[in-house]
Amino acid sequence: VLDAVNTAESIDWITYDGWIIHDYADGKSFKLTTGVSGLFEQAIEEKAGKDARAEFEYFSKEMLAPNGLTEVSGYIPPFALRGDIGAVRSLFNYLWKFIRIGTKGALLTGPFTVTMDKYNIQNEFVRKWYDYLAFALSGLDAAHTQAAPVAYTIGDLHRKGCILDYPKGGMDTLIEALVKGITNHGGELRLNSRVEKLLLVEKDGDAHCEGVILNNGKVIKTRKGVVCNAPLWNMAKILKDSCEDDAPSCIESAVSLVQEQANDMEMTGAFMHLHLGIPKAGLEDLNLELHYSVLNFDLDVTAEQNLVIISIPTVVDPSLAPEGYHIIHAYTAASENFSDWESFLENNKDPGKVGANPNSKIASKYNEAEGYNQLKDEKAEALWKAIETVIPDVRARAKEDGAVSIVGTPLTHRRYNQRFRGTYGPAPPEGKDVWELPGPITPIKGLLACGDTTFPGIGLPGVAASGTIAANTLVSVDKQLELMSELKSKSALQ
C-alpha cells in the first residue's frame, strides 16, 4: 500500500528476530526466533520434547515446500482483486496460479485444523502452538481461523532470512506516511469529522449513496462513491439513522438487508488495555525484548483473559519516551466479555454507535457509574500480573514520580475506536467453522465497505487488503492494471 501511494521510502524500519512467550502452566519462557537458525526448534524441544520438535519441523517443511500451502497462500495479491465483474480481467494474468492452487484452495479457505489433520499433526504442544498463532492473528483458535493467513504467516516467520520490522518513530510514522499518500494525491484528511448519516437517494428504483452528513451538519457530496470502514454493525446503525420515515421502499429494503447481515454476523470478544510509562533504570540486566505473549498453554487459548500481549517499543526505539523511561502496552486479546460492561451504558446496551466526540463528557459518562472503577481494577489485574512475568517490580515503578498508568476497558475500546461492543471483529456464524464475509459491494450503489467485517477479515494485512479491494472497485480496470504494472516495476507485486 505504501508503495502504491509512493511513501514507502519515508519510513525507516527497525528489525528484530522474534518475541518471548511465557507459559503460566510451567512458569517458563521461550523465544520464537525467526528464520532457519534452529533456535526456535531447539526452544520447542526444551519446552515440549523431541517429538514436538520433530513434528514441528516436519510440518514446517511441508508448509514451506515449493508449491506448498505457504507459497500458494500468496499467489493472488489483493491488488489484483476487485468486487465486480472486472475481476475477470484484473485476475487474468494470474490464471496459471489459479490452476496451480488447485485443490489447495479448499484447504486455504477452511479452518487451519483441517490442514493440521491432513498432515497428521498429533503432538499436543504443536497443535496448541498453532491455536496460539491463529488466535494472535484473528482472535479465534485454529479450528475457526482460515488456513490462508496462518499459512502465510508461517512463511513470514520461518523462511530463510526472515526478520520482523517495527517502524522507527512508532506507529505514528506509518499513519503519517499513509496521510502523506492521501495529501500528495490531492486528497484531504479531516479530523474530528464524525459521519452521522449517509446521504441516501433513490435513482431508477435503486438505493444510491451520494455523500455523507457530518456531526456538525456539513454535507460532503461524493464524485464516485463512499467507502465505509466502520464495522458492519456500526454501518448498519448509521444507515438506519440515515433512512427517513418517508424513504422510498428501495432504500428501506437495502438498509434492511445490511441490518440482516449485521444481525447474522457473530463477533469476537473485547479488550482490556494497560498503558504504562515507567522509569527504566535498573532494568538493563533483564535484556528486555520488544514483544511478549503471556498465557497458560494448559487452558484454551480463547479462555477469558488467558492471552495477554505486551509491547515495549522503547526497547528498540528509545525516542518514543522521555529519556530514562520505557513505555509499555499490554492487552487481553479479544477475550473480554462485553456483557460484563454493558450495564454501565445508557439503557444498559450498546446502541450501535458512540454518537459523540470520544473526549466529551457524554461519551465518557460510564466512568461515573457505580461499580465501574472497581470492575476496571479487577479486570486489569491480569494485565499487571502478565507484565510482572517480564518486569517483576512494575507496580512499584508505576507509582514513582513521572510514571504514567492508564487502564482501558472494553468501553474505552468501544469509545475511542468506534467499535460495536468493543469487539475485535467478526467470528464464524453458528454452525460454521470459519468466516463467511461479504466483499466491498453493498446493497446500496455508491456505498462500498472495507475493514475487518469484509473479506478477507481481521488483522492489519486483512484490513489493508479489504481497503485495496474497495479502492480497486471504485476505479476502472485499466487504472487498476496500470497501478499493478507500476508496483511490479518496483518489485512490490508478484
Side-chain angles (χ1 to χ4, degrees):
V1 171
L2 294 172
D3 281 309
V5 296
N6 297 311
T7 57
E9 299 300 320
S10 67
I11 298 181
D12 293 324
W13 296 96
I14 300 168
T15 60
Y16 62 106
D17 67 351
W19 67 88
I20 302 292
I21 302 95
H22 179 82
D23 184 3
Y24 282 128
D26 60 11
K28 296 179 180 178
S29 300
F30 62 99
K31 182 173 181 178
L32 179 146
T33 306
T34 60
V36 294
S37 66
L39 290 174
F40 183 47
E41 289 78 3
Q42 179 62 36
I44 290 175
E45 182 175 339
E46 293 173 2
K47 166 72 176 171
K50 292 183 177 180
D51 289 346
R53 175 176 182 165
E55 202 159 281
F56 177 84
E57 289 177 334
Y58 154 74
F59 189 49
S60 296
K61 182 179 179 181
E62 292 293 327
M63 296 293 286
L64 296 169
N67 204 41
L69 211 60
T70 292
E71 181 180 310
V72 168
S73 69
Y75 273 175
I76 311 299
F79 274 92
L81 301 175
R82 52 191 296 128
D84 57 19
I85 192 64
V88 174
R89 221 181 120 207
S90 66
L91 286 165
F92 181 77
N93 289 335
Y94 294 89
L95 179 61
W96 175 240
K97 289 193 173 181
F98 267 115
I99 294 171
R100 290 184 68 190
I101 289 174
T103 57
K104 291 187 178 73
L107 275 181
L108 288 170
T109 56
F112 192 66
T113 46
V114 172
T115 297
M116 288 194 283
D117 292 342
K118 175 179 171 57
Y119 291 97
N120 198 32
I121 301 304
Q122 301 292 329
N123 184 270
E124 182 180 12
F125 175 79
V126 175
R127 292 187 74 96
K128 285 189 173 184
W129 171 256
Y130 285 110
D131 265 336
Y132 155 75
L133 189 61
F135 191 76
L137 290 170
S138 70
L140 302 161
D141 60 16
H144 297 94
T145 300
Q146 283 186 329
V150 185
Y152 191 89
T153 301
I154 288 172
D156 276 351
L157 295 176
H158 301 302
R159 284 195 181 106
K160 185 177 181 179
C162 280
I163 52 173
L164 301 172
D165 302 296
Y166 186 84
K168 188 174 182 179
M171 296 305 291
D172 182 61
T173 59
L174 185 59
I175 295 167
E176 287 300 320
L178 291 169
V179 172
K180 192 185 297 183
I182 294 172
T183 56
N184 286 354
H185 290 81
E188 179 185 356
L189 175 67
R190 299 193 184 189
L191 302 176
N192 297 315
S193 303
R194 190 177 65 256
V195 173
E196 283 294 329
K197 294 182 180 180
L198 296 166
L199 196 57
L200 304 179
V201 300
E202 181 267 336
K203 283 185 180 179
D204 301 322
D206 292 319
H208 284 251
C209 182
E210 290 194 336
V212 299
I213 304 173
L214 302 182
N215 59 302
N216 61 5
K218 184 175 178 60
V219 175
I220 302 176
K221 291 289 193 78
T222 177
R223 283 181 293 177
K224 287 193 173 182
V226 172
V227 179
C228 178
N229 74 338
L232 184 60
W233 309 284
N234 298 72
M235 186 171 77
K237 172 60 176 172
I238 294 171
L239 282 169
K240 183 179 179 182
D241 289 349
S242 308
C243 193
E244 304 293 342
D245 292 338
D246 58 349
S249 60
C250 62
I251 293 178
E252 290 182 344
S253 296
V255 170
S256 293
L257 281 174
V258 175
Q259 186 64 63
E260 287 173 15
Q261 284 183 313
N263 291 341
D264 290 341
M265 184 174 284
E266 299 293 329
M267 65 186 71
T268 58
F271 290 74
M272 284 290 298
H273 296 269
L274 177 57
H275 296 274
L276 299 175
I278 61 170
K280 66 179 183 181
L283 295 178
E284 297 81 7
D285 292 344
L286 295 181
N287 296 316
L288 294 174
E289 299 267 354
L290 172 56
H291 293 304
Y292 294 81
S293 290
V294 181
L295 73 161
N296 187 329
F297 271 97
D298 283 352
L299 301 178
D300 190 316
V301 71
T302 66
E304 186 170 358
Q305 295 201 312
N306 186 17
L307 174 60
V308 174
I309 294 176
I310 302 168
S311 296
I312 316 176
T314 39
V315 168
V316 296
D317 188 357
S319 70
L320 294 172
E323 187 175 354
Y325 285 84
H326 273 312
I327 57 173
I328 302 171
H329 176 212
Y331 61 93
T332 51
S335 63
E336 298 291 337
N337 187 346
F338 191 78
S339 297
D340 294 341
W341 303 88
E342 204 157 22
S343 63
F344 299 117
L345 291 176
E346 191 173 354
N347 298 321
N348 300 321
K349 68 176 183 179
D350 188 337
K353 64 180 184 181
V354 175
N357 184 315
N359 293 314
S360 67
K361 189 171 181 63
I362 189 172
S364 60
K365 192 176 179 180
Y366 58 83
N367 277 304
E368 302 170 1
E370 184 178 353
Y372 174 76
N373 286 319
Q374 180 182 347
L375 182 61
K376 182 167 72 170
D377 291 343
E378 290 174 2
K379 293 287 189 176
E381 185 62 25
L383 302 173
W384 286 107
K385 182 181 175 185
I387 299 174
E388 283 176 327
T389 68
V390 180
I391 303 173
D393 63 346
V394 64
R395 297 190 204 229
R397 290 174 180 272
K399 293 177 181 178
E400 292 187 28
D401 290 342
V404 175
S405 174
I406 302 173
V407 175
T409 71
L411 295 180
T412 321
H413 193 84
R414 165 192 177 268
R415 168 181 155 202
Y416 282 102
N417 295 314
Q418 303 285 315
R419 301 291 299 185
F420 182 59
R421 295 176 64 83
T423 183
Y424 183 33
E430 188 174 349
K432 300 289 185 179
D433 290 326
V434 294
W435 296 320
E436 290 182 352
L437 299 177
I441 300 296
T442 74
I444 299 167
K445 294 186 177 181
L447 176 63
L448 287 85
C450 68
D452 54 24
T453 51
T454 60
F455 175 84
I458 283 176
L460 183 57
V463 169
S466 75
T468 300
I469 296 167
N472 289 343
T473 307
L474 270 181
V475 302
S476 68
V477 178
D478 287 337
K479 196 76 174 175
Q480 180 184 357
L481 292 174
E482 181 183 327
L483 176 58
M484 290 170 64
S485 177
E486 180 185 328
L487 291 173
K488 286 178 181 178
S489 71
K490 297 178 180 179
S491 300
L493 193 67
Q494 295 181 357

